[in-house]
């Protein structure tokens, strides 16, 4: 995974130096009917826990996604618990007094416009995020600063991690996902490679970076890993894109993830 | 089983050979260039007698054999670019006649772009779907950075599609890039690309002959579904020493050749190296001077003729690419091949070639970050034995033989040092044995009707040692068995019929038809469009069935104006079985259970290929056009419906023209047009995790914009002396500076994040180049 991002960088470097160029073009695209999108997250932190239900829109529309209102949303667990979520804002179903427990399997039940959707996710054990640091990489004509996360991977289980990074409060548009297939039981120092479209938006001194590290289950890893591969355009244009495999049934887009979460912040020096 | 079949074939052959041999005498020998002693492949030999005048062409080692009733004959040998050889012989006993042909200086000066032995061979021969690349065209066709390249030039032929702009990957008649069998002096070249596929592993200075079989595959070839690219290296001059070289924009080349023992043996060694990184190192920019980007390759060959019956050839190739960034990342990869061949002439009708071949492809990746250091290495290695026999009789050339290949794949070994976050690990090696026996007959049934038919019996066995898992459809391990060294885990046996026929209406017009079946047991898993240095190889196994292809083709061939115009039209249909794709989110790298990530389906490809060529005169060149469709079907993909394969392109047009302006200047140009690749564009979008995410409905239902490009070049010959000749080549790639699409990406608009936009990435604009070539 990390190897692929390095390939991407190298290939970009090679092609840029060989006078590659970009231009915005008009493409003729089919429009599909709106699809139901469910984004459900249950964390080990005190609520509110939120299940968002919206719709996809045609590619040519603006990025405003209609809320699906009036749905009945419940979450159950394998210990007999059952919780009803209420619609706090249109399409946002939440429950304040709820906190997930690692090791439990949660089931999401959604009934929206007379269609029932279900999904299951098991919350992995929590892994502590120890610290963040800055890794300086000499590349592309300047000293490039990247954020590195440090933690200890538990050796007695298979772990998957998903990271979200905010730079000065704005979410970085990159997917950072990895598992411990090659690193089980070790001290991990993963670099969250981030290259903005504009050089001036790369990380610089004084930037406030917040990293959220999630321990996710296998199906959620596959979901994000598939998405991350599609965004990498290696030699020949990369992987043929498709919809990532969702753990929700009845053709809903999105995912339902029970995960633990850790946050740390860092000011770039 | 195989061994029995082989013995049986020899037995049959022993039975039939006396029948052909009754009361006839044979003339046989080797045909060579008089100046260099290079053997000439495919020269036409005819003996004209009173009642009969049989003809043949010399084989891959220059050997020919003809027989006739006793009497007087005139031997005539013709070969493009050489003076015709004539000599009277009396056949009252079998005789040996080695022939040396003199180059025709007058002919060489006017460009003749046909490497065909007989001028009307394309009409006469029963072989279909064969393109011989002529080295003269190779020298003239303009290419990216002026680095002439056989793999880029064959992409200008009908039925051959480029793997992408400036890319040496290629697709033949709807096949995937890993379905081409690429042979260099009979050794398999697994990865034929340098530098992210912008250059091929073939240094054209060292190449003597290039043949591409797109269909009607002769029975001596096997192991890949869609094509055979048979590349033969030069033997080296056995008369005198020579030096040849070139200095180009990207790389420089140097070749040495000469006799080991005059007229008995020669050697050739040719090397090439890029120097982009030398320029980068000189840069003051620290980012650039810490970047590594180079490749080199060496071709070497030697031969020695013990006597008229026995010749030994040694050839080898070694190539390597290095890319990397200091303290961050390093990647190297390369092929190694070595071939030892023994030619033995049993008698004047039976020619044998025995080959021992070693080939290897390996790569290593090093992550150099102290916290995350790792060294990943992977290789595929073959030991190969081939025995090929050709028996020449009056109306038949019978070819039979066998082949045994032992494969080893070491998928991945990871080592680390110090405090790396990575664990050392290793994925079990896999071993395989491929055996094949074949027999084929090229039969001149009548003056109008020729047949080339045969059969190849092939087997593949996955061998122990190893722990072999069987996977359920969902990827779970169903069962696991441990095998010892030498155990047969799984064996597949296939019979592959091969058949082509030609019917010539007259000397200028013929119809041809062919059918062939091919199997493939070495598969590449790749999620990129073309080959990448870190592609994973897998063998057929208890989970992966051999890939199968059946192809039928038919064509019309016409020559006119004393064979200076050649025209052909071919149609083909191909059925593919057991094609491989992978599941969503498949982790292909260093995965011991990689076979659990795969899905299997089928494919179909069909098309029409038109080819018109002008081979003589001041203006020479060709036009090729392909109309084609290529589809795949997998239960798990696209709701189980057929979808266009990524190499599906409806139209492909190439125009190549070369013009002799004067005795010193020649001009050339090529123009290509092709439909855009089949791609998957989003039809909707949604938001998850704060990111705009795209919704896809059908696989590969959209098209990239079309590609069109004009390249031009001019060659200026320097003053030629007896000792020294040189030339300058000036080229302009993409002379119209068209921004051809390489990839299309979708993203949020920069200045309006509420909208999305499509961005086309183009690689090469207008690129001039200059190369200086010399020879002394």
């Amino acid at each position: 995974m990390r190897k692929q991002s390095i390939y991407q960088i190298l290939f970009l470097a090679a092609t840029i130096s060989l006078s590659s160029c970009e231009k915005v073009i008009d493409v003729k695209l089919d429009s599909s009917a709106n699809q139901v999108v469910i984004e459900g997250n249950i964390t080990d932190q005190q609520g509110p826990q939120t299940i968002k239900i919206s719709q996809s829109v045609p590619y040519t529309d603006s990025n405003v996604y209609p809320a699906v209102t009036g749905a009945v949303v419940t979450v159950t667990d394998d210990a007999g618990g059952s919780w009803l979520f209420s619609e706090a804002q249109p399409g946002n179903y939440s429950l304040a007094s709820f906190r997930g427990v690692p090791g439990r399997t949660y089931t999401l039940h959604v009934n929206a416009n007379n269609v029932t959707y279900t999904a299951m996710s098991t919350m992995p054990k929590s892994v502590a995020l120890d610290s963040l640091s800055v890794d300086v990489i000499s590349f592309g004509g300047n000293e490039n600063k990247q954020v590195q996360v440090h933690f200890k991977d538990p050796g007695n289980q298979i772990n998957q991690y998903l990271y979200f990074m905010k730079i000065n409060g704005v979410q970085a548009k990159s997917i950072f996902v990895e598992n411990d297939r090659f690193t089980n039981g070790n001290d991990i120092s993963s670099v969250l490679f981030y290259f903005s479209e504009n050089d001036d938006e790369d990380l610089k001194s004084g930037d406030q970076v917040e990293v959220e590290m999630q321990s996710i289950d296998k199906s959620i890893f596959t979901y994000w890993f598939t998405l991350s591969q599609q965004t990498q355009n290696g030699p020949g244009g990369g992987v043929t894109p498709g919809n990532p495999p969702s753990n929700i049934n009845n053709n809903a887009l999105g995912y339902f993830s029970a995960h633990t979460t850790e946050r740390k912040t860092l000011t770039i020096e | 089983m195989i061994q029995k079949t082989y013995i049986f074939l020899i037995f049959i052959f022993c039975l039939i050979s006396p029948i052909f041999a009754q009361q006839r005498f044979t003339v046989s020998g080797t045909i060579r260039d008089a100046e260099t002693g290079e053997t000439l492949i495919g020269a036409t030999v005819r003996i004209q007698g009173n009642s009969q005048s049989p003809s043949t062409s010399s084989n891959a080692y220059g050997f020919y054999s003809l027989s006739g009733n006793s009497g007087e004959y005139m031997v005539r040998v013709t070969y493009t670019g050489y003076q015709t050889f004539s000599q009277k012989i009396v056949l009252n006993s079998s005789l040996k006649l080695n022939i040396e042909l003199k180059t025709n200086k007058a002919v060489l000066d006017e460009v003749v772009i046909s490497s065909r032995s007989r001028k009307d061979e394309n009409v006469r021969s029963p072989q279909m779907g064969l393109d011989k690349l002529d080295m003269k065209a190779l020298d003239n066709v303009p290419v990216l950075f002026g680095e002439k390249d056989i793999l880029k030039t064959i992409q200008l032929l009908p039925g051959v599609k480029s793997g992408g702009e400036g890319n040496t990957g290629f697709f033949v008649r709807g096949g995937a890039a890993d379905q081409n069998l690429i042979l260099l002096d009979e050794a398999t070249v697994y990865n034929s690309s340098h530098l992210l596929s912008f250059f091929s592993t073939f240094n054209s200075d060292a190449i003597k002959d290039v043949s591409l079989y797109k269909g009607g595959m002769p029975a001596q070839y096997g192991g890949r579904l869609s094509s055979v690219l048979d590349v033969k290296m030069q033997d080296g001059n056995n008369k005198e020493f020579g030096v040849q070289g070139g200095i180009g924009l990207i790389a420089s080349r140097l070749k040495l050749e000469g006799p080991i023992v005059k007229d008995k043996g020669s050697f050739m060694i040719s090397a090439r190296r890029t120097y982009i990184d030398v320029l980068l190192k000189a840069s003051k920019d620290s980012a650039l001077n810490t970047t590594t980007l180079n490749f080199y390759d060496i071709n070497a060959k030697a031969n020695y003729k013990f006597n008229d019956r026995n010749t030994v050839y040694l050839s080898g190739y070694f190539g390597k690419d290095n890319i990397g960034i200091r303290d961050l990342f390093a990647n190297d990869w390369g092929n190694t091949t070595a071939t030892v061949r023994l030619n033995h002439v049993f008698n004047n009708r039976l020619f044998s070639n025995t080959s021992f071949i070693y080939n290897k492809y390996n790569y290593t990746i090093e992550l150099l970050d102290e916290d995350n250091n790792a060294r990943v290495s992977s290789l595929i290695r073959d030991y190969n034995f081939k025995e090929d026999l050709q028996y020449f009789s009056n109306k038949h050339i019978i070819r039979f033989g066998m082949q045994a290949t032992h494969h080893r794949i070491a998928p991945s070994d990871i080592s680390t040092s110090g405090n790396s976050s990575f664990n050392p690990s290793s994925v079990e090696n896999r071993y395989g044995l491929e055996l094949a026996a074949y027999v084929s007959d090229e039969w001149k049934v009548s003056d109008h009707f020729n047949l080339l038919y045969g059969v190849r019996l092939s087997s593949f066995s996955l061998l122990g040692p190893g722990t072999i898992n069987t996977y359920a459809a969902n990827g779970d391990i169903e069962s696991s068995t441990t095998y010892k060294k030498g155990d047969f885990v799984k064996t597949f046996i296939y019979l592959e019929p091969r058949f082509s026929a030609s019917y010539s209406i007259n000397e200028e017009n013929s119809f041809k038809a062919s059918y062939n079946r091919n199997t493939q047991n070495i598969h590449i898993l790749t999620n990129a469009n073309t080959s990448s240095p870190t592609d994973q190889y897998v063998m057929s196994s208890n989970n992966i069935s051999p890939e199968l292809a059946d192809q039928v083709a038919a064509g019309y061939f016409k020559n006119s104006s004393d064979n200076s115009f050649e025209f052909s039209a071919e149609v083909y249909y191909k059925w593919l079985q057991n094609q491989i794709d992978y599941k969503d989110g498949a982790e292909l790298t260093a995965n011991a259970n990689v076979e659990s990530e795969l899905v299997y389906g089928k494919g179909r490809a069909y098309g029409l290929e038109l080819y018109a060529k002008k081979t003589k005169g001041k203006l020479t060149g060709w036009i090729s056009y392909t109309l084609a469709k290529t589809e795949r079907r997998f239960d798990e993909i696209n709701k189980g419906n057929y979808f266009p394969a990524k190499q599906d392109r409806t139209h492909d047009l190439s125009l190549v023209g070369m013009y002799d302006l004067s005795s010193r200047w020649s001009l050339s140009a090529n123009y290509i047009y092709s439909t855009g690749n089949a791609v998957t564009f989003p039809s909707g979008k949604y938001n998850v995790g704060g990111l705009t995410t795209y919704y896809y409905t059908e696989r590969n239902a959209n098209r990239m914009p079309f590609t069109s490009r004009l390249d031009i070049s001019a060659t200026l010959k320097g003053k030629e002396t007896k000792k020294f000749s040189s030339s300058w080549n000036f080229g302009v790639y993409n002379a119209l500076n068209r921004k051809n699409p390489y990839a299309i990406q979708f993203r949020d608009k920069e200045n309006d994040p509420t909208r999305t936009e499509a961005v086309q990435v183009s690689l090469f604009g207008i690129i001039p180049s200059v190369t200086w070539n010399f020879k002394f």
Side-chain angles (χ1 to χ4, degrees), chain B residues 420-548:
Chain B
S420 176
S421 69
F422 290 103
N423 293 317
S425 69
S426 180
V427 178
E428 244 179 28
N429 286 353
R430 287 285 174 260
Y431 303 89
L433 180 66
E434 276 190 279
L435 296 173
Y438 59 86
V439 60
S440 72
D441 176 18
E442 187 173 344
W443 181 17
K444 285 178 189 157
V445 183
S446 74
D447 280 349
H448 295 283
F449 190 42
N450 288 299
L451 275 179
L452 173 58
Y453 62 100
V455 65
R456 184 180 177 89
L457 181 69
S458 64
S459 82
F460 174 83
S461 304
L462 180 66
L463 302 178
T467 301
I468 311 284
N469 297 329
T470 304
Y471 301 97
N474 66 359
D476 290 347
I477 297 173
E478 254 178 5
S479 67
S480 183
T481 314
T482 301
Y483 292 87
K484 292 194 300 290
K485 188 178 178 188
D487 284 354
F488 283 67
V489 178
K490 179 87 187 171
T491 297
F492 301 94
I493 297 175
Y494 285 95
L495 201 60
E496 306 172 25
R498 312 286 175 86
F499 174 86
S500 340
S502 69
Y503 183 82
S504 23
I505 303 160
N506 51 37
E507 294 219 321
E508 296 196 331
N509 295 280
S510 72
F511 290 96
K512 299 186 191 183
S514 73
Y515 163 75
N516 59 281
R517 163 167 276 207
N518 291 62
T519 63
Q520 178 164 347
N521 290 294
I522 301 287
H523 323 276
I524 289 186
L525 305 179
T526 179
N527 42 22
N529 279 339
T530 56
S531 70
S532 123
T534 58
D535 282 341
Q536 297 294 303
Y537 293 88
V538 292
M539 298 183 200
S540 297
S541 69
N542 49 322
N543 300 298
I544 302 173
S545 298
E547 296 178 68
L548 281 180

Side-chain angles (χ1 to χ4, degrees), chain A residues 13 18 39 47 90 92 94-95 99 115 148 189 201-202 237 239 259:
Chain A
L18 294 168
E39 189 177 17
N92 270 17
S94 64
L95 187 61
R99 175 181 196 154
V115 182
Q148 214 171 2
S189 310
E201 285 169 17
D202 282 343
V239 176
H259 58 258

